[in-house]
Amino acid sequence: MNLTHAAHLWWLLVLPLLFWLALPPRPRQRAWTAHLVQWRLAQKALRQKPPRLSGLRFLLLALACTAAVLAHAGPVLAGTPGPTRLVVLLDASASMAARHDGRSAFDVATQAVRQKLSELPENVEVTVLRCGGDLVRRHGPSARALQDIGRPAGALAVDLDALAAQVAGPNTVVWTLSDGQGQQRLPAAGALTCVGAAGPNAAIVAVRTIDRWPLPGFSVAVDMSWCGPEARRGEVQVTGAVLDTPPLSIELQPRAVQTVSVELERLAKGGLLQVRLVVAGDVLPDDDVYEVELPPLPAPRIAVLADAEAGPSFAAMAAKTLAEEVGGQVVPAGPGVEVGLLLVDGGNVAIAPGRVRAICFGSQFDAQRVPVPWLEPQFADWDRSSPLTAGLDLSELRVHCAFRETLPAGKAFLWAEHTLEGRVPLAAVAGDDSRASVHFAFRLQDSNLPLLSAFPQLLRRAFVRAYGAAAKLKVRSPAIAPGEQDLASRAVGADRPLPPFGTPDRELAAWSLLLGLCALALRAFVR
Amino acid sequence: MKRRTRNLPDVPERFPRAFQDLLHDLLARGPRLPGGKTEHERSKRRVLSQSGTFVGHRRYVRGDDLRRIDWAACARTGELFVKQFEEEERRALTLLLDLSPSLLAGTTPRRLFMLRLAAIIGGLALRHLDGLTVIAPGAGGGAVASFEGPGELDALLAHLDALPVVPASAEAAIGVVLKRGVAGRLHWISDFVDPATCELPLAALRRRGASVTGWLPVLAEDRQAPVRGYLTLDDLETGAEMIIAVDQALAAEMQHQLELLARQQDRLFAQCGFPLRRWPVPAPADFLAAAAYQQIVQWCSR
């Protein structure tokens, strides 16, 4: 035991003073008596004791004083040298989900970590790094509890050997828990625990889809591989938000990617589509599933609004063209009529741009702004990267008259050349990912857009853009991790245990004070 | 409690001139002792039962058997003398004195009154009886002293005055008495602070057929707690020291203990059939008043 402030022990010189103070005062009177026995009996009858110096009471007082002085001097119990920090590299790649004897390698690894962390001294600083999939770092109490460490998924994107060598230090111990999958070699630094074992595995390595939304047609092409010693027959099951599809049987060849294409017809209500590869003896079933959320099909009811000056011909033609493109129907516009898209040509319409799924051609939505005709604007260019116009040829577009005031604020995708202002938008998209409206600054009758071959496709894309994210697929299954399928090609090595950790210096001041208080408390009961 | 070097309190002058005068006056006017009465009764017998060895003469006092008058000596001297014989029923008295330091207790030490009590009783014995034996265990050469006749009163006082303060147990004191034999009535003057130690000696005296009278000079401190406050008590007997805080409750309890002690002392003598005389010592102003000692003389005459 060492003392931080040994000079404070000089306070022990107060002990003689305490002894002097503890002495009972000497009486000033003295009397001779022959009845000392009777005095004692009287005191005993009254349960009194003569004032005297109690050795035990003074001993306890001296003990309390000594303990207080000792606490003031800062007693420290020297700890043992050794590392005080532990970094756990926990392999949580997809291959760690491989099951052997009913338990996954990840479960075995986390149980080993929990057991070891529960045995670690409190002074050891613990950090857990989940390697594989999303990198997760936990530190301190959350690391000891393995809080929200997740499930194994994704590829092991780090070199555990290099990471362990980088993290290891004189005060830091690295403990790697891995199945060796996807690693050239296992870490040479720190402790090592190898989990899992080799085994056959079938996996979906890639999925390609062709979405014909808002049409019900849906194509899926599934690439799959079999990592086993010999060919084995498997079965592709498609279930969920599609019409019933019989399972497809396939003869899987070892270490070969094979593709299965399926034409599906989706349900109008949408839902989860699951593609599952079923192979007997597969130790890693987590990579056998592909799940995608199919959006519900829209109600392709298209309403047309056109002013009398514009005439219904172009708008009706556009609506008919769009209905043919998306498989919908044209319905008359009116109050209380539910429509999937509003197609407006000219005139005034009381809609909030971006809040209503609509395609407007020169329609004025703000009555306060008087449109000023812009005659013969020089068409300049279109956005070749926009989903609306990418791949379309609009070079022959001619506009005879445009109304710039009819364009709301939004992302432009058509521009005209103005002599003074430069490039001026002729069309724009207003709204967000879930709902949008497409606005053109000219009426159909004032351009040759309806006559262009790209017009139907532009209408269809405008329809899809008006629905935004509601028309997109949402893949639910985790990303397919390359290199995590062949469980036979993994690095192996011998386990290395954790070294003993150091313990910090323990301050005994609190214990010393507690001892002093106990002595004082005990002294209160001693007479 | 601890022991310390003893520095015992002093005893005032035991027998000042005034007390000696008072003593002579008491002896002159005092009644006869019971021993004389016995002699008087014996003189009424028809037959002179003289027995024993002739040991000498003494002056005639009223009540002596006339048949013991030595007429030849009377003829030679012109005064009346009686013959003295060493016989069983010799008219004698024995004083047993307690010299222990415990008698030094009291504002005026109890020892002073013990010595004066012994002087009065001894003086009466010298005046009315054949002899007086003073036994003071622990006094060395003066442990046993005999006196005869009124003329040895001064010698008695000198002997009493010279007695030292020595610790002596009741067993040892009675041992001396039993070894030498009890001559006449035994007057035991002590403070009897430890009645338990006196129980066996008294029983032994009773078996020997001795007649014992216990004398206890009673101080004011024997009736109530002497002092109050925070003080040091020194035990005279053992030298032990005790610091004590005397409050009202402790004083009351101490008085109760003193009453218990008094009852134990009374029971001690009562169970042996002996009387215990409690003589309240006089106040300092009455130290030389005859009335203060008159009760002693009256008790002796019974």
Side-chain angles (χ1 to χ4, degrees):
Chain A
M1 186 176 70
N2 301 322
L3 295 177
T4 309
H5 309 289
H8 291 174
L9 290 181
W10 284 105
W11 282 102
L12 287 176
L13 292 178
V14 81
L15 282 177
L17 177 63
L18 282 181
F19 177 76
W20 181 72
L21 292 175
L23 290 174
R26 300 297 301 175
R28 295 184 178 179
Q29 297 184 58
R30 178 176 293 276
W32 296 99
T33 183
H35 298 125
L36 199 65
V37 175
Q38 279 68 37
W39 281 112
R40 288 177 186 163
L41 290 174
Q43 276 199 321
K44 187 177 180 182
L46 295 177
R47 297 187 175 181
Q48 290 183 355
K49 287 191 175 180
R52 58 186 172 81
L53 173 64
S54 169
L56 183 57
R57 280 176 61 83
F58 175 73
L59 187 65
L60 291 173
L61 179 65
L63 178 62
C65 178
T66 305
V69 171
L70 197 62
H72 189 44
V76 173
L77 192 64
T80 57
T84 58
R85 187 163 181 257
L86 171 65
V87 177
V88 179
L89 303 181
L90 181 59
D91 184 357
S93 60
S95 62
M96 289 288 284
R99 291 183 169 273
H100 298 279
D101 300 329
R103 297 179 65 197
S104 68
F106 189 75
D107 291 339
V108 173
T110 53
Q111 183 180 358
V113 171
R114 287 181 199 279
Q115 181 178 357
K116 183 58 72 177
L117 293 185
S118 65
E119 298 169 356
L120 277 186
E122 289 295 325
N123 65 294
V124 177
E125 184 183 350
V126 178
T127 301
V128 174
L129 290 178
R130 171 202 157 109
C131 305
D134 297 332
L135 181 64
V136 175
R137 178 182 179 272
R138 295 285 181 265
H139 185 73
S142 62
R144 287 178 178 266
L146 292 182
Q147 191 174 14
D148 294 335
I149 205 67
R151 299 299 305 164
L156 184 59
V158 298
D159 183 358
L160 291 178
D161 183 26
L163 181 59
Q166 183 179 1
V167 170
N171 290 325
T172 303
V173 172
V174 180
W175 183 21
T176 307
L177 297 100
S178 174
D179 60 355
Q181 189 70 33
Q183 296 290 302
Q184 295 294 330
R185 60 177 182 175
L186 290 171
L192 176 66
T193 300
C194 293
V195 294
N201 178 37
I204 294 177
V205 295
V207 174
R208 296 179 298 280
T209 59
I210 300 175
D211 187 9
R212 297 183 180 87
W213 192 91
L215 299 180
F218 190 78
S219 299
V220 176
V222 182
D223 294 342
M224 59 195 78
S225 68
W226 166 245
C227 300
E230 55 190 11
R232 186 167 297 183
R233 178 158 293 279
E235 194 174 71
V236 178
Q237 299 173 351
V238 180
T239 56
V242 294
L243 295 179
D244 291 341
T245 305
L248 301 176
S249 181
I250 182 172
E251 182 73 14
L252 295 170
Q253 299 301 321
R255 290 175 177 76
V257 176
Q258 297 169 266
T259 303
V260 172
S261 298
V262 186
E263 289 294 332
L264 304 170
E265 185 172 352
R266 55 203 288 180
L267 299 178
K269 62 180 181 182
L272 186 66
L273 173 65
Q274 188 177 70
V275 179
R276 179 181 293 275
L277 174 60
V278 179
V279 180
D282 187 0
V283 298
L284 183 55
D286 286 10
D287 59 359
D288 299 345
V289 181
Y290 174 78
E291 291 179 339
V292 62
E293 184 79 24
L294 300 182
L297 295 176
R301 295 157 62 88
I302 303 168
V304 179
L305 287 176
D307 60 356
E309 185 180 349
S313 59
F314 287 103
M317 183 189 67
K320 182 181 177 182
T321 303
L322 180 58
E324 291 174 354
E325 187 70 19
V326 300
Q329 59 182 342
V330 179
V331 298
V337 177
E338 182 182 358
V339 298
L341 183 73
L342 184 62
L343 197 151
V344 187
D345 186 16
N348 292 322
V349 59
I351 63 171
R355 308 295 299 273
V356 175
R357 293 186 176 103
I359 303 175
C360 301
F361 294 95
S363 301
Q364 183 182 355
F365 56 86
D366 186 1
Q368 301 299 325
R369 300 175 65 182
V370 178
V372 178
W374 181 18
L375 299 179
E376 297 297 337
Q378 182 65 39
F379 177 69
D381 203 355
W382 67 94
D383 188 353
R384 286 170 170 78
S385 61
S386 170
L388 282 171
T389 54
L392 299 183
D393 182 9
L394 299 176
S395 59
E396 296 181 354
L397 177 64
R398 296 294 181 268
V399 179
H400 306 298
C401 180
F403 303 94
R404 294 169 56 186
E405 291 76 11
T406 60
L407 275 185
K411 185 177 181 182
F413 60 92
L414 284 180
W415 293 273
E417 194 69 33
H418 194 277
T419 54
L420 298 178
E421 302 177 16
R423 295 179 66 173
V424 175
L426 282 182
V429 178
D432 52 19
D433 285 344
S434 61
R435 191 181 296 265
S437 57
V438 181
H439 298 263
F440 291 86
F442 51 87
R443 295 178 297 185
L444 290 175
Q445 64 184 14
D446 293 335
S447 70
N448 65 346
L449 181 61
L451 305 179
L452 297 181
S453 59
F455 182 58
Q457 188 66 13
L458 181 61
L459 285 177
R460 181 182 177 278
R461 292 186 181 185
F463 182 87
V464 173
R465 179 64 188 89
Y467 277 83
K472 292 182 179 176
L473 299 176
K474 297 181 178 65
V475 178
R476 298 299 186 193
S477 58
I480 296 170
E484 297 290 327
Q485 286 77 37
D486 190 356
L487 300 181
S489 59
R490 66 187 193 117
V492 294
D495 289 355
R496 294 191 298 274
L498 283 171
F501 286 88
T503 56
D505 294 346
R506 291 183 59 189
E507 293 189 358
L508 302 179
W511 289 105
S512 186
L513 278 180
L514 181 63
L515 175 65
L517 290 176
C518 290
L520 287 180
L522 183 60
R523 186 175 180 269
F525 295 98
V526 175
R527 295 294 175 192
Chain B
M1 188 170 62
K2 64 180 182 180
R3 298 172 189 277
R4 49 181 295 156
T5 305
R6 309 191 66 186
N7 186 15
L8 298 177
D10 295 329
V11 179
E13 187 178 5
R14 290 82 166 171
F15 309 116
R17 189 70 251 171
F19 177 77
Q20 293 185 22
D21 296 340
L22 174 65
L23 178 60
H24 285 290
D25 184 57
L26 284 174
L27 297 181
R29 296 189 291 110
R32 299 174 66 87
L33 289 183
K37 189 178 180 180
T38 304
E39 181 69 15
H40 180 71
E41 293 296 326
R42 189 176 57 183
S43 65
K44 295 178 180 177
R45 299 174 189 169
R46 291 187 176 181
V47 178
L48 177 60
S49 57
Q50 289 186 345
S51 62
T53 306
F54 172 74
V55 294
H57 294 86
R58 67 171 174 82
R59 291 183 184 277
Y60 169 81
V61 294
R62 191 172 59 185
D64 286 347
D65 190 354
L66 294 177
R67 288 170 292 184
R68 288 198 178 186
I69 295 177
D70 187 351
W71 296 109
C74 179
R76 285 194 298 273
T77 62
E79 293 183 8
L80 293 177
F81 287 91
V82 293
K83 296 177 182 174
Q84 282 188 303
F85 297 91
E86 192 177 70
E87 55 187 8
E88 292 181 356
E89 296 183 359
R90 183 171 178 261
R91 298 184 309 162
L93 185 144
T94 302
L95 280 175
L96 176 59
L97 303 182
D98 185 1
L99 302 183
S100 61
S102 64
L103 275 90
L104 295 173
T107 308
T108 303
R110 196 194 309 266
R111 182 183 171 92
L112 172 68
F113 303 104
M114 179 201 73
L115 294 177
R116 292 187 177 180
L117 183 58
I120 293 172
I121 298 174
L124 289 172
L126 290 178
R127 186 172 183 83
H128 300 293
L129 301 181
D130 298 336
L132 168 68
T133 302
V134 178
I135 300 177
V144 178
S146 298
F147 303 91
E148 291 181 0
E152 291 198 52
L153 179 60
D154 291 340
L156 171 64
L157 295 182
H159 176 73
L160 293 177
D161 195 19
L163 289 175
V165 176
V166 289
S169 64
E171 292 89 344
I174 299 302
V176 174
V177 172
L178 295 179
K179 182 178 179 181
R180 191 180 186 283
V182 181
R185 191 171 193 86
L186 175 66
H187 293 261
W188 187 3
I189 308 175
S190 175
D191 53 2
F192 304 110
V193 291
D194 191 2
T197 59
C198 302
E199 190 171 351
L200 290 177
L202 278 177
L205 289 172
R206 183 186 178 190
R207 284 194 297 272
R208 287 290 189 92
S211 298
V212 180
T213 299
W215 291 88
L216 173 60
V218 178
L219 304 175
E221 288 87 341
D222 293 340
R223 291 190 288 269
Q224 62 181 8
V227 286
R228 299 283 179 88
Y230 187 53
L231 68 157
T232 303
L233 292 177
D234 285 312
D235 186 50
L236 289 162
E237 198 69 33
T238 62
E241 179 183 297
M242 185 171 72
I243 297 175
I244 191 170
V246 183
D247 54 5
Q248 187 174 0
L250 186 59
E253 180 62 29
M254 181 60 187
Q255 185 171 349
H256 175 64
Q257 294 294 333
L258 291 174
E259 292 169 0
L260 287 179
L261 175 63
R263 284 203 289 270
Q264 290 175 0
Q265 293 164 340
D266 292 338
R267 187 170 60 247
L268 170 70
F269 279 85
Q271 67 187 5
C272 295
F274 300 142
L276 173 63
R277 307 296 186 193
R278 293 181 179 276
W279 174 50
V281 301
D286 300 331
F287 277 0
L288 300 175
Y293 304 94
Q294 198 63 44
Q295 190 176 13
I296 302 172
V297 179
Q298 292 174 1
W299 275 335
C300 290
S301 63
R302 291 178 186 172

